[in-house]
Amino acid sequence: MTQQETTADVDEVFRVETHGIDPIPDAERHGGAKDLFWLWFGSNLTFTYVINGALAVAFGLSFWQATAVVVLSGLSFFAISAAGLSGIRTGTATLVISRAAFGVRGNWPAGVLNWVVSIGYTIVNTVVGTLALEVFFAEIGLGSGTLTRALALGITLALTFAVAMWGHATVQFAERWMAYILAIGFGALLVFILPGAQTTAVAAPGLSGWSLAFVVMLAGPFSYLPMPADYTRYLPRTTSLKSITWMGALGGFVSSVALGIGGVAAATQTDMTDAVAGAESLLPGWFQPLFLALVLGGSVTNSIITLYSSSLNLQVLGIPWSRARAIVISAGVTAVGSLAALFLTDFTTSLLSFLSLLIIVFAPWGGVFLADMLMRRCRYDSDALHAGSEGAYWYRSGYHPAGMTALLAGMAFAALTCDSELWTGPLVAPLGGADLTLLGSVVAGLTYWALARRIPAYAPAA
């Protein structure tokens, strides 16, 4: 069997992917760095960034101040993209690779929380897409009500689940082609919104406003940290590591910054408390149905990658099923959660508050993971990552003391300086209302470096 035939059998568009977290053999690797540009560009063409940009203005920042926050936050995609370099070296998923930093058992709690976050954000995206599609149906004369909403939900779930079920190749294909369409649509949206932006200076927002704006803008990119290698593990080992970092980073940067600035501009012109309605009020009547379709499309592209990664996540947690079967669990929970949010009780706001609070865990987790990757220079014992208690990453009873200690140190700092609806740390008031949660990643990373400076770096497999 030729290499081309082998690749088609396991990772072909519109055919169910057979690999999960098992290492991708060299003979079955394919693609190039430019695939990562379209993946991260398409998946971040989501209305969420418009909302986040509007929130920066709500925190008291002027147009130019909020724009600076949006641009600086977009640079975080360089760290997200770089986190995928370990996928090329190991051929496996991010949450398998992080066993090297935390130990096989120590990695498990973060795996559980990451699955919760993935499903939580997929539910939120599904609800947003469903409501936009419901209004779209009403505007084109299909009426409204329970049946219309149920139809909108069914379509939104089907679009997301079908692509994620087929797997890696189909995810990349869908993200690329949806990016073409969404980029044109969101480009037109920016043409309507940006010229009316009010750029006059406002009173200084204070440290609290600046920190909250950064937390909101960086929370999205940070939520991706447990998944970049999921989308680089099929790339050939000969792919340039520099090109991988740049292509993925540029994709996420361009889309998130463009839409974030759009949200900033919109917030200087109208009330964005209801962001969809607020943005819609700035658009000509003929474009409004297309705008709702853009909201739906952005919700779906973002949900696709989180739902796909959630199936790999379940395998990491020990679900003895194939990736394609495991994703049914994630899709089922997403459907139930979306049904509850749309028809029983509106817990979307509470869910978002809970998910945002989990940055107390994921900022330090990301700091430890990135520090470990840099210290090893992306070199791992690939076999040991899957070897359990027989491998080098079992450490002490399955826990890596350095990784766990660093994680707890970062979490303690983040909890003490967090300012959210569900929890306000005791250091927030002395700091003048500043939210320094994200610096928990720096604390955790430096702690890990101090405790694990002599960890071995394994040569990459031949």
Side-chain angles (χ1 to χ4, degrees):
M1 181 177 290
T2 67
Q3 178 176 334
Q4 182 177 1
E5 291 170 339
T6 303
T7 300
D9 285 342
V10 297
D11 194 39
E12 186 180 45
V13 176
F14 303 131
R15 292 184 65 178
V16 177
E17 176 191 5
T18 58
H19 282 300
I21 62 172
D22 53 303
I24 308 300
D26 287 348
E28 298 176 15
R29 298 195 184 196
H30 60 94
K34 64 181 180 181
D35 296 330
L36 297 177
F37 173 86
W38 293 110
L39 176 83
W40 292 109
F41 179 70
S43 62
N44 285 284
L45 284 171
T46 172
F47 192 71
T48 301
Y49 288 107
V50 176
I51 298 173
N52 292 346
L55 283 174
V57 176
F59 293 141
L61 275 66
S62 69
F63 174 84
W64 292 114
Q65 290 169 338
T67 296
V69 171
V70 169
V71 173
L72 291 174
S73 299
L75 294 174
S76 64
F77 276 99
F78 280 90
I80 305 304
S81 188
L85 300 180
S86 53
I88 286 196
R89 291 283 176 83
T90 62
T92 191
T94 305
L95 283 170
V96 175
I97 300 166
S98 60
R99 290 169 176 169
F102 301 99
V104 176
R105 287 177 172 169
N107 191 56
W108 201 84
V112 173
L113 289 176
N114 181 66
W115 184 80
V116 171
V117 169
S118 297
I119 297 305
Y121 278 118
T122 305
I123 290 172
V124 171
N125 278 325
T126 300
V127 169
V128 171
T130 297
L131 294 176
L133 185 55
E134 180 186 13
V135 175
F136 175 81
F137 284 156
E139 292 189 356
I140 64 175
L142 294 181
S144 59
T146 301
L147 289 178
T148 303
R149 178 171 290 189
L151 175 62
L153 175 60
I155 292 173
T156 305
L157 286 171
L159 289 173
T160 304
F161 176 70
V163 174
M165 165 69 87
W166 273 316
H168 176 265
T170 310
V171 167
Q172 289 195 320
F173 175 84
E175 293 290 354
R176 175 190 288 265
W177 285 99
M178 292 180 73
Y180 295 155
I181 299 170
L182 291 174
I184 294 172
F186 276 117
L189 175 73
L190 295 178
V191 169
F192 293 126
I193 291 179
L194 290 178
Q198 304 298 312
T199 59
T200 54
V202 298
L207 185 58
S208 175
W210 283 102
S211 65
L212 287 172
F214 272 110
V215 168
V216 165
M217 289 305 304
L218 287 167
F222 265 76
S223 69
Y224 292 132
L225 270 174
M227 64 178 72
D230 302 1
Y231 304 100
T232 59
R233 70 194 204 282
Y234 274 98
L235 293 176
R237 294 181 192 273
T238 54
T239 309
S240 164
L241 300 186
K242 182 183 293 187
S243 65
I244 289 171
T245 302
W246 275 92
M247 287 295 98
L250 286 176
F253 177 86
V254 171
S255 51
S256 66
V257 168
L259 296 184
I261 293 175
V264 171
T268 64
Q269 303 170 65
T270 188
D271 181 11
M272 290 289 283
T273 303
D274 182 340
V276 173
E280 197 173 16
S281 69
L282 300 174
L283 304 173
W286 64 267
F287 189 77
Q288 290 176 3
L290 296 177
F291 165 68
L292 295 170
L294 289 175
V295 175
L296 169 64
S299 297
V300 170
T301 58
N302 196 259
S303 293
I304 285 171
I305 66 167
T306 54
L307 189 61
Y308 173 79
S309 286
S310 75
S311 62
L312 299 175
N313 196 157
L314 287 175
Q315 287 191 311
V316 173
L317 294 177
I319 299 294
W321 289 0
S322 67
R323 182 208 60 82
R325 290 181 63 193
I327 205 171
V328 175
I329 298 176
S330 296
V333 175
T334 298
V336 171
S338 301
L339 282 167
L342 290 165
F343 295 100
L344 299 179
T345 179
D346 183 11
F347 70 91
T348 306
T349 301
S350 299
L351 178 61
L352 277 171
S353 298
F354 170 70
L355 294 174
S356 64
L357 186 63
L358 288 182
I359 197 168
I360 290 176
V361 177
F362 281 104
W365 184 94
V368 174
F369 175 74
L370 290 174
D372 181 77
M373 189 185 75
L374 289 172
M375 292 166 69
R376 297 179 191 274
R377 289 176 285 181
C378 293
R379 295 177 178 176
Y380 300 87
D381 184 339
S382 298
D383 293 334
L385 289 171
H386 301 269
S389 60
E390 303 300 321
Y393 303 124
W394 187 251
Y395 300 113
R396 297 182 183 177
S397 301
Y399 299 91
H400 187 197
M404 301 306 295
T405 301
L407 177 63
L408 291 174
M411 288 175 59
F413 178 89
L416 291 171
T417 59
C418 176
D419 183 14
S420 69
E421 292 184 11
L422 299 181
W423 167 259
T424 300
L427 295 183
V428 172
L431 289 169
D435 185 333
L436 304 182
T437 312
L438 293 173
L439 290 182
S441 61
V442 179
V443 171
L446 291 176
T447 303
Y448 185 76
W449 175 82
L451 296 176
R453 282 177 291 177
R454 295 184 179 180
I455 57 174
Y458 294 89

